[in-house]
Amino acid sequence: MTLTVWGRPEAVNVQKVLWCVEELGLDYTRIDVGGHFGGLDTPDFLAMNPWGRIPVIRHNDFTLWESNACLRYLCRTFKQGPFANLTDHAFAQADQWVDWLVTTLYYSAFRQYYMYQIKVPAAEKDASKLAAFREEALIPLRFLNDQLAKRSYVVSEQFSMADLLAGVYVDRWMRLDAEASSLTHIARYFERLSQREPYKKTILAFEVKPA
């Protein structure tokens, strides 16, 4: 079995996949591409992903792109580690949260706040704009915080595919926002995830700070 992941390790969407692979305990090769590494517009890369984005995975002779599609494939194909007893119903419940996390929490709300924090230099930040982005991000974050008051992980007491997204987004929130710990259940969730060796290796190992 050969597994290769293309992507730079500090990228949000790549981190989800690398964390998944580590939780599964799989041997793999990672190839740097994207960001300052470049390489997304080469013929070889575009032959794998014509959209020219990371991550891309190749399992033996099967190639796949789009990070959440990669997660679904890996979790369903390699039922081991925290995914060893994955039932159809458990997978479906995790998958509904995957959709909510990426469409409602991240892209429609949190990403604006996150990118403004890390891309715009402190001297150029507009306090009112930052506050507006933060308030928009807090709407789904408060909802997630309420959910985590009822359980240890996003779906249940068991770690699931949904945590691979939530954990990456929560990492950014906890390390970028001065008052992040006010969402106490998210803060405890972050502490819980921070005890996992795959999380330490693929998420916490990389610096996250405001520009």
Side-chain angles (χ1 to χ4, degrees), residues 78-100:
F78 302 99
K79 292 185 177 181
Q80 56 198 53
F83 313 109
N85 299 310
L86 189 63
T87 65
D88 288 344
H89 286 180
F91 179 83
Q93 287 182 322
D95 202 23
Q96 79 177 353
W97 279 98
V98 165
D99 281 355
W100 180 85

Side-chain angles (χ1 to χ4, degrees), residues 36-193:
H36 63 281
F37 294 109
L40 298 179
D41 57 354
T42 65
D44 285 348
F45 189 82
L46 291 172
M48 295 188 297
N49 180 1
W51 186 236
R53 295 291 186 272
I54 51 176
V56 172
I57 66 170
R58 177 175 290 158
H59 174 217
N60 296 332
D61 60 354
F62 177 66
T63 303
L64 193 65
W65 47 279
E66 280 297 316
S67 60
N68 296 333
C70 294
L71 295 182
R72 294 179 181 106
Y73 175 77
L74 291 167
C75 291
R76 297 296 299 261
T77 301
F78 302 99
K79 292 185 177 181
Q80 56 198 53
F83 313 109
N85 299 310
L86 189 63
T87 65
D88 288 344
H89 286 180
F91 179 83
Q93 287 182 322
D95 202 23
Q96 79 177 353
W97 279 98
V98 165
D99 281 355
W100 180 85
L101 285 158
V102 74
T103 60
T104 303
L105 189 150
Y106 187 63
Y107 278 107
S108 70
F110 183 69
R111 190 175 186 274
Q112 284 190 110
Y113 174 71
Y114 166 53
M115 297 303 290
Y116 196 78
Q117 282 280 52
I118 66 169
K119 295 291 188 183
V120 180
E124 298 176 20
K125 281 189 170 79
D126 181 314
S128 61
K129 182 177 287 188
L130 180 60
F133 287 155
R134 183 179 188 273
E135 198 55 40
E136 188 72 18
L138 276 168
I139 296 170
L141 282 168
R142 289 187 182 114
F143 177 78
L144 179 62
N145 189 65
D146 290 344
Q147 297 306 303
L148 289 167
K150 308 168 191 174
R151 52 185 71 97
S152 296
Y153 296 99
V154 172
V155 179
S156 67
E157 291 303 307
Q158 303 299 316
F159 183 88
S160 78
M161 180 174 64
D163 296 292
L164 298 169
L165 284 79
V168 176
Y169 305 153
V170 162
D171 168 68
R172 270 48 177 188
W173 169 251
M174 293 301 299
R175 292 205 270 171
L176 286 173
D177 194 274
E179 298 178 23
S181 59
S182 63
L183 296 179
T184 57
H185 303 295
I186 283 180
R188 291 193 194 103
Y189 174 65
F190 180 63
E191 291 176 7
R192 190 174 300 117
L193 293 177

